[in-house]
Amino acid sequence: QVQLQQSGAELVKPGSSVKLSCKASGYTFTDYAMKWVKQRTGQGLEWIGVIDPEIDATAYNEKFKGKATLTADTSSNTAYMELSRLTSEDSAVYYCTRYGFWGPGTMVTVSS
Amino acid sequence: DVVMTQTPVSLSVSLGGQVSISCRSSQSLVHNNGNTYLSWYLQKPGQSPQLLIYKVSNRFSGISDRFSGSGSGTDFTLKISRVEPDDLGVYYCGQGTQYPLTFGSGTKLEIK
């Protein structure tokens, strides 16, 4: 069965960076693009961007250009998202999702 | 960006009842390939979103036929019949026709 296993919660300092992971199993990793979505507490869903692992192509929401960097490792079937220059506005749950399936989310808390 | 407007913000329904949620997009969601990439998701309390409906009216695998989607162009509706306790949560519409992907602000379904 398809599973997206995301890395654990992060408590990070303002101005730092953090790299989240999403390990896929139960399907051929290169068959589906992986999207990342942000959800602040009690808020709606924001699309960050997408990576096609087969051709290593990315597309970003303009709002997250310079903030998020998406990569994928086909040898380990894992997608990554690095968030840089973190501020309190980046405190949120981040989901990886491919067609029809969502990971459990990773909570990122930015605090000094 | 395509703006997705959902109504109502919240609704309360008795068990066994029927509800409709509306979603309007600021631009037509008909893709150049002729498909309309409008999806519906349910986020149950404390969980990740789950895909209910894709391409306007197609139920995702394992989704009850109590859920039905309809619409075209810029106007879409999700109907839930014979509401059950497990249906409570926040429903989102989302468009995948144009980058950046965007979501409605959500409709909270409560059970009376």
Side-chain angles (χ1 to χ4, degrees):
Chain A
Q1 70 283 24
V2 174
Q3 288 193 11
L4 301 176
Q5 186 177 344
Q6 296 191 240
S7 46
E10 299 272 4
L11 173 60
V12 292
K13 294 193 183 311
S16 67
S17 299
V18 68
K19 193 169 186 177
L20 312 183
S21 66
C22 171
K23 184 171 176 58
S25 60
Y27 71 98
T28 302
F29 184 59
T30 51
D31 280 354
Y32 292 87
M34 190 73 76
K35 299 184 280 288
W36 291 83
V37 174
K38 175 183 181 181
Q39 186 173 39
R40 301 198 70 187
T41 302
Q43 303 298 308
L45 305 169
E46 268 190 296
W47 180 76
I48 297 170
V50 60
I51 184 165
D52 183 336
E54 184 172 32
I55 58 175
D56 202 28
T58 54
Y60 293 91
N61 185 335
E62 281 291 329
K63 180 178 177 180
F64 291 94
K65 282 186 178 178
K67 170 63 65 178
T69 302
L70 305 184
T71 56
D73 179 357
T74 55
S75 68
S76 63
N77 293 341
T78 304
Y80 298 92
M81 178 174 68
E82 184 168 19
L83 300 170
S84 61
R85 297 185 302 279
L86 292 164
T87 73
S88 59
E89 296 296 303
D90 299 314
S91 293
V93 175
Y94 293 88
Y95 296 103
C96 61
T97 170
R98 59 139 269 198
Y99 167 69
F101 297 89
W102 293 64
T106 295
M107 179 169 289
V108 174
T109 303
V110 183
S111 174
S112 55
Chain B
D1 298 3
V2 178
V3 176
M4 306 296 288
T5 303
Q6 262 183 262
T7 54
V9 172
S10 65
L11 68 166
S12 184
V13 62
S14 299
L15 293 177
Q18 177 174 295
V19 296
S20 292
I21 301 171
S22 172
C23 178
R24 287 187 172 176
S25 56
S26 60
Q27 302 172 35
S28 172
L29 298 186
V30 180
H31 192 275
N32 289 340
N33 64 15
N35 289 315
T36 301
Y37 295 101
L38 185 282
S39 299
W40 290 96
Y41 304 86
L42 166 59
Q43 187 171 32
K44 298 179 182 179
Q47 295 186 21
S48 309
Q50 61 179 104
L51 177 63
L52 300 174
I53 302 284
Y54 65 97
K55 285 197 287 185
V56 181
S57 60
N58 297 274
R59 278 185 295 275
F60 187 60
S61 175
I63 300 303
S64 168
D65 61 5
R66 297 185 300 102
F67 295 89
S68 63
S70 62
S72 63
T74 62
D75 261 312
F76 305 93
T77 301
L78 175 71
K79 288 186 181 176
I80 312 168
S81 60
R82 306 186 304 280
V83 169
E84 298 179 357
D86 196 43
D87 296 339
L88 74 88
V90 180
Y91 290 79
Y92 294 95
C93 61
Q95 67 83 19
T97 295
Q98 181 182 127
Y99 286 162
L101 308 188
T102 49
F103 299 91
S105 53
T107 295
K108 187 173 184 178
L109 178 65
E110 297 174 325
I111 309 296
K112 285 181 184 174

